[in-house]
Amino acid sequence: MSKKLTVAVVGATGAVGREMLKTLHDRQFPATEVRAFASARSAGTKVPFGDDELVVQELKEDVFEGIDIAIFSAGGSTSEKFAPHAAHAGCVVVDNSSQWRMDDRCPLVVPEVNPEHLEGHQGIIANPNCSTIQMLVALKPIHDAVGIMVVSTYQAVSGTGQKGLEELERQTRDLFNMREPENKVYPYRIAFNVLPHIDVFLENDYTKEEMKMVNETHKMLDPNIRVTATCVRVPVFYGHSESVNIETEKKLTAAEARVILSQAPGVQVVDNPRANLYPLAVDAAGEDDVFVGRIREDESCDNALNLWIVADNVRKGAALNAVQIAEELLKRDLVSVVNPGMFL
């Protein structure tokens, strides 16, 4: 790897793309140059980068020459079209969409969970689903004991991007001003409501979001873990929350779990119910860590625990994890593409 390092953010004008630029700057990522790309309609606009601004360039197939790492957050169709061209140009792609997550050629990585999967990558690395990321950061330390896992997620509207944030704000204003709110993003009103529906329903009556948690956990952690999930959209701007029940092969007490989790990288234990201390979405917003609390033994099952897991879905669930992957690539000297023609 050369001493000069050029990094690009694709989808730089979106909520996650902007957070990626902020994270690169905040973590002092050792890039000589950072470039911002988006669609033609956004070309020429400016996005903040520290105290400076970057001029957004139009995303084209031939823009990746000389770029070492490109972090994508521009949707699956954009990644499907442009990521192969980036890899072919020798640029390592860290993709935040669902396009490459289950592709056998692409490692799916959370640095606190499975950084070794980066070895031998072919040029495209997938960033997992935001809910899966925070869950596995918390569960990895007790992975050896995990058997069955039941997950219910309570996901912020920022998981839908800027349009989700705008819809919640607009509907809230409408209701306070006695106007009938309009549903543009979600099938029903999200303001002051709870929707047990994220992404499209599949033939098994699970949603695509729910099956992402199942399939991505199998790919990253253990194909033998049994997982079932219910994903719910709630009227919160930032921060996904998860109620997780795990059945272990051998008894693991709540006290033992607290000790394990308190020593785990990227995890903060907030668990003192007598003082009303437990993780909250408002406290996780803008934070890097995954917060775990309400750690208690399941009284309906001998070898089971209940956990409450909260994290900023735009930060750790997207931007930070992608930048951490890029950092891990540098640490392991993996900023090169082994087979640049693999995806074309």
Side-chain angles (χ1 to χ4, degrees):
M1 186 182 68
S2 63
K3 290 184 179 180
K4 291 186 177 180
L5 186 71
T6 301
V7 175
V9 172
V10 176
T13 57
V16 174
R18 289 172 181 267
E19 188 68 21
M20 287 173 170
L21 288 168
K22 182 177 184 298
T23 305
L24 285 167
H25 181 269
D26 289 349
R27 293 175 70 87
Q28 298 182 328
F29 190 84
T32 308
E33 181 183 5
V34 177
R35 302 179 190 175
F37 291 96
S39 63
R41 66 177 179 274
S42 297
T45 61
K46 295 181 179 180
V47 289
F49 184 69
D51 296 330
D52 297 321
E53 290 182 321
L54 301 177
V55 177
V56 177
Q57 304 174 50
E58 181 181 353
L59 180 63
K60 298 179 180 179
E61 294 175 355
D62 60 356
V63 299
F64 297 100
E65 289 291 338
I67 295 175
D68 300 288
I69 300 174
I71 305 176
F72 276 61
S73 187
S77 59
T78 299
S79 294
E80 181 181 21
K81 179 178 180 181
F82 291 98
H85 291 282
H88 189 254
C91 172
V92 181
V93 173
V94 180
D95 180 49
N96 193 51
S97 79
S98 61
Q99 175 61 37
W100 305 100
R101 289 176 186 161
M102 300 313 297
D103 192 308
D104 290 338
R105 299 169 294 179
C106 303
L108 183 66
V109 175
V110 177
E112 295 94 335
V113 176
N114 62 330
E116 69 280 0
H117 288 191
L118 291 172
E119 301 288 345
H121 74 81
Q122 302 297 313
I124 298 178
I125 297 153
N127 205 31
N129 181 48
C130 47
S131 298
T132 308
I133 289 172
Q134 69 185 68
M135 181 177 71
L136 294 190
V137 168
L139 292 186
K140 172 63 175 178
I142 52 176
H143 164 237
D144 290 342
V146 169
I148 300 171
M149 185 158 53
V150 179
V151 188
S152 297
T153 72
Y154 306 92
Q155 299 182 214
V157 295
S158 51
T160 314
Q162 190 64 35
K163 59 184 180 180
L165 293 165
E166 292 170 355
E167 176 131 317
L168 176 55
E169 181 180 4
R170 183 179 62 252
Q171 289 182 351
T172 302
R173 291 180 184 276
D174 286 344
L175 287 166
F176 277 129
N177 287 280
M178 306 300 291
R179 295 191 296 264
E180 185 64 27
E182 184 179 2
N183 309 321
K184 295 181 179 180
V185 177
Y186 304 114
Y188 300 99
R189 192 185 87 201
I190 186 59
F192 305 100
N193 200 10
V194 173
L195 306 179
H197 174 190
I198 298 179
D199 214 319
V200 297
F201 282 100
L202 305 175
E203 290 185 4
N204 63 356
D205 289 338
Y206 283 76
T207 64
K208 189 175 180 182
E209 182 80 0
E210 290 158 355
M211 292 311 299
K212 285 177 186 176
M213 298 194 73
V214 175
N215 296 329
E216 292 175 19
T217 298
H218 287 165
K219 182 173 180 178
M220 283 188 287
L221 199 60
D222 186 341
N224 297 315
I225 291 180
R226 289 182 287 172
V227 184
T228 186
T230 299
C231 294
V232 179
R233 187 73 70 191
V234 294
V236 171
F237 286 105
Y238 292 97
H240 286 356
S241 303
E242 298 174 348
S243 172
V244 180
N245 176 274
I246 55 174
E247 184 177 348
T248 56
E249 294 176 359
K250 61 181 180 180
K251 179 69 173 180
L252 185 70
T253 69
E256 290 169 336
R258 287 189 193 97
V259 172
I260 293 171
L261 289 165
S262 66
Q263 299 171 349
V267 174
Q268 280 196 46
V269 174
V270 182
D271 192 25
N272 187 350
R274 287 165 185 79
N276 292 338
L277 288 177
Y278 35 73
L280 298 173
V282 292
D283 294 334
E287 298 294 328
D288 289 349
D289 286 339
V290 171
F291 298 84
V292 185
R294 296 299 318 277
I295 303 167
R296 62 202 188 280
E297 293 164 38
D298 181 350
E299 294 190 351
S300 71
C301 182
D302 288 340
N303 293 351
L305 293 170
N306 290 306
L307 309 173
W308 180 249
I309 303 171
V310 180
D312 186 328
N313 55 296
V314 175
R315 187 84 174 169
K316 179 54 184 171
L320 174 61
N321 200 74
V323 173
Q324 287 177 308
I325 290 173
E327 290 171 345
E328 193 69 27
L329 288 168
L330 292 181
K331 177 182 174 182
R332 293 171 178 260
D333 196 18
L334 295 173
V335 187
S336 60
V337 180
V338 176
N339 186 350
M342 169 69 77
F343 298 95
L344 286 178

